[in-house]
Each structure stands twice: as structure tokens, then as C-alpha cells.
Amino acid sequence: MYKQLADLLRAGVPLLRALRLLGRSKSHPVLGVVMSEVAEAISEGERLADALAERKEIFPSIHVAMIRAGEQGGFLEQVLARLGTFLEHQAEMRSRIIASLIYPAMLMVVAVGVITAALVFLVPQFKPMFAKLELGWPTKLLLGVSDLLTAHGWLVLIALVGAAFAIRQVFKNEDVRTRLAAWQLKIPKVGPVVRSLSVARFTRILGTLLDNGIPIPTAMQIARDAAGHPVMSKAIDEATEAVRAGESLAKPLADSGMFDEDVIEMISVGESANNLPEVLVTIAETIESRVDRMLNILIRLFEPVMLLAMAGVVMFIFVALALPMMKMSTALR
């Protein structure tokens, strides 16, 4: 929609008429209705940014800030085109991450399904056979878990849902989220990926905002909310205060420990050469490529770990069932 609006304005179509044309769009009826409402607000004398800001559930604050800067500076078409490109980059990055995680997620679902089916349907068949035997702890544990799932399956399901709800409530606590986020960054292999994704989001958004004429303190506050990580948000707050006090951007970001040395060096060069917006977007593209490689390595490690875990559980079930049968065979002989 942003790109279509930019194309219409570039072709000389007045803003009100362009919005009404988008309002008649059939490809996305809900967005079409919203654009018709925005067009009505414009016809009553509102600015485009103000009309969009009234619909926060659709238009995030970062979009509104960029469009407001474009309206005030007289370069609305360029802002809309950049917003369209920015959203395409975000969607592409998200789709790459999701595509990378599909196979491990399917593997986990299949593993849990196979093990649950074995505990519910296979293991109970052996229970009468073992009734008069002295069982070892593996077999007792296996039969106990099987009995729990077969006799009290609904209670187990309710307990799992309750635990998920409780965990969700705990995660709403800001202190808990901050501590977990800091711990997350220390996990080998996982921490660098999370940190790199946060840095990529921050640098891309900050570069896009600065390129559209938004002052750096305001742009950093908007980019802070989009970084998506409490530790990064704290580092950005400290860097924003330092910039307002007259310091360069590179130094407080380096002190935060969230940015690699090469990223800090590029930001410092960009500040010196007065082309910081372009440098920030280039950093984001470089980090996103690096994250792709990191994710591929993580997934390659995760797949054999999942297979080994599944094989270990299946082996435990086999041993727990085989031990009593071996004792029976010995006793018969």
C-alpha cells in the first residue's frame, strides 16, 4: 500500500484522490476500508500522519513518525517508497527465519507424537505380562508415565495449559523479562544470534529514520521500541542520553557491549564522513547475512541433537520393556 501510494503521488495524483483509489482496493478489503476512513479525515482538514496516528492498531509509531517528517519536509513520496522497501526487508527476514525453523519444529512435533503414542498404546499392552514380576526402576517409571497419560490424560493436558498460562503471566513482569533476556545472551550459539538480530533491527530502523530527516535523539527513541530486546533498549537509552549531551553515537554504543567492534568502527566512520544513515542500513544488511549463516549452523546442530534425544527416549522404552522379558526368559530356563 505504501509503494502504491508513493507511485500515485509520483504520477501527479493528488493525495486525497490517491487515498480514495486505494480505498477501493479489492486485494485487501480491511485495509481498503481503513484507507477510505483516512481519506475522509484528510478531506476534513487533517494531516496524513495525524489520521494514521489515530489508527495505532494498523500503523505503528515508526511509520507515523517517518510520514510526519515527509509531510513537513516536502518529500512524502520518497518516505512512502522507503517505508515499502523497509517493510519488504522485514518480511523477507522474518520469512527466512520461519523457513529455517520449519523442519526442526516438524521434527520435534513428530518425536513428541511418536513417543506419546508409544506410551499410550504400546506400553499398556505389556502391563498384564509384568503383573507378577519384580520390576526395576526403569520399567516402573515407564509404566507410571504410561498410566498417568492413559488414566489422567485430560488432567495432564490441563496442567500443561495452566503451566503455559502461568509462564506467560510471569513473562509479563519487566524485571523477569530483563533477567531472562540478559541470561539469553550468554547461551552459546543462541546468544550471538539473538544479539545480532536485535542490532540489525536497530541499525536498519535508525538508518531509515535518519535518512528521512528525523533528528537522531527522536529516531533513537523510536528505534529503541523496535529493537525488541530489553538489554538493547537499555543500551539505546544510555546512548541517547550521551548523544543529547554532545557525545558521538559510536562511543556509548561501544560501552554497552551489544555491538561488535567492526560495527562500532563502521558507525564511527559513518559519523565522520557524514553518511551515517547509509552506513547503518549497510550494517543491517551485513548482519542479516551473518545471522542467516548462524541460523544454518544452529539448525544443523539442532537436528542431530533432536534425533539423538528421540533415539535415547525410544531406547529407554525398549530397555524398560526388555528387562522384565529377559528375567522371564531366564526364570523359564
Side-chain angles (χ1 to χ4, degrees):
M1 184 275 292
Y2 286 139
K3 284 198 165 185
Q4 288 177 341
L5 185 56
D7 291 340
L8 289 169
L9 294 177
R10 197 177 293 115
V13 180
L15 177 61
L16 182 58
R17 186 181 173 191
L19 290 169
R20 285 175 173 163
L21 284 171
L22 292 175
R24 293 197 290 270
S25 172
K26 303 297 181 185
S27 59
H28 200 303
V30 175
L31 190 57
V33 171
V34 171
M35 296 315 294
S36 296
E37 293 173 355
V38 171
E40 289 304 314
I42 298 294
S43 68
E44 293 173 3
E46 282 193 45
R47 284 183 165 274
L48 178 60
D50 295 332
L52 298 181
E54 293 171 0
R55 295 156 179 84
K56 294 179 181 178
E57 70 280 0
I58 296 178
F59 302 100
S61 58
I62 179 175
H63 299 189
V64 175
M66 290 173 66
I67 289 170
R68 180 169 280 113
E71 281 187 300
Q72 293 172 354
F75 48 89
L76 182 59
E77 301 162 21
Q78 294 93 320
V79 168
L80 291 167
R82 287 193 189 110
L83 258 176
T85 304
F86 170 71
L87 290 177
E88 282 180 350
H89 277 298
Q90 276 194 325
E92 185 181 351
M93 188 66 183
R94 190 182 301 113
S95 65
R96 286 205 302 265
I97 293 172
I98 292 172
S100 299
L101 295 175
I102 284 176
Y103 177 69
M106 289 179 63
L107 189 63
M108 184 178 292
V109 169
V110 170
V112 171
V114 168
I115 292 167
T116 304
L119 291 170
V120 172
F121 299 108
L122 175 64
V123 174
Q125 305 298 322
F126 291 85
K127 192 174 180 181
M129 191 185 307
F130 300 156
K132 297 181 180 180
L133 294 176
E134 184 66 30
L135 302 176
W137 71 263
T139 310
K140 287 180 180 179
L141 176 61
L142 181 66
L143 293 177
V145 174
S146 178
D147 288 341
L148 182 65
L149 291 176
T150 52
H152 306 288
W154 287 108
L155 291 177
V156 173
L157 183 60
I158 292 170
L160 289 174
V161 172
F165 179 76
I167 291 170
R168 184 179 178 184
Q169 293 300 117
V170 168
F171 270 85
K172 289 182 179 179
N173 185 296
E174 188 174 347
D175 290 338
V176 173
R177 283 204 310 270
T178 302
R179 289 177 185 176
L180 287 174
W183 174 78
Q184 183 186 49
L185 294 175
K186 298 176 183 177
I187 302 174
K189 301 295 183 183
V190 175
V193 173
V194 173
R195 181 169 56 83
S196 297
L197 278 172
S198 185
V199 171
R201 279 195 298 265
F202 169 69
T203 52
R204 181 175 290 282
I205 292 169
L206 182 61
T208 306
L209 290 169
L210 294 177
D211 200 29
N212 285 284
I214 296 177
I216 187 166
T218 306
M220 288 183 68
Q221 284 301 305
I222 297 171
R224 170 197 181 278
D225 297 331
H229 199 279
V231 178
M232 175 64 80
S233 298
K234 183 180 178 182
I236 295 169
D237 284 338
E238 293 172 356
T240 304
E241 292 303 317
V243 169
R244 283 177 177 154
E247 290 186 35
S248 65
L249 177 62
K251 185 182 182 303
L253 292 182
D255 294 340
S256 71
M258 289 290 290
F259 295 78
D260 293 331
E261 290 183 7
D262 57 338
V263 172
I264 296 298
E265 186 66 26
M266 290 178 71
I267 291 173
S268 180
V269 171
E271 286 184 296
S272 302
N274 202 27
N275 64 336
L276 184 59
E278 293 85 352
V279 168
L280 288 169
V281 174
T282 302
I283 290 170
E285 291 172 352
T286 303
I287 292 175
E288 285 165 3
S289 300
R290 191 185 303 167
V291 167
D292 276 343
R293 293 193 296 272
M294 289 179 175
L295 281 174
N296 287 332
I297 293 170
L298 273 178
I299 290 166
R300 287 174 187 169
L301 289 172
F302 184 73
E303 290 171 10
V305 168
M306 276 296 302
L307 290 172
L308 286 172
M310 184 178 176
V313 175
V314 172
M315 180 61 68
F316 175 80
I317 294 173
F318 172 77
V319 170
L321 295 176
L323 284 174
M325 297 176 69
M326 291 171 64
K327 286 183 179 179
M328 288 173 60
S329 177
T330 304
L332 288 173
R333 283 203 297 270

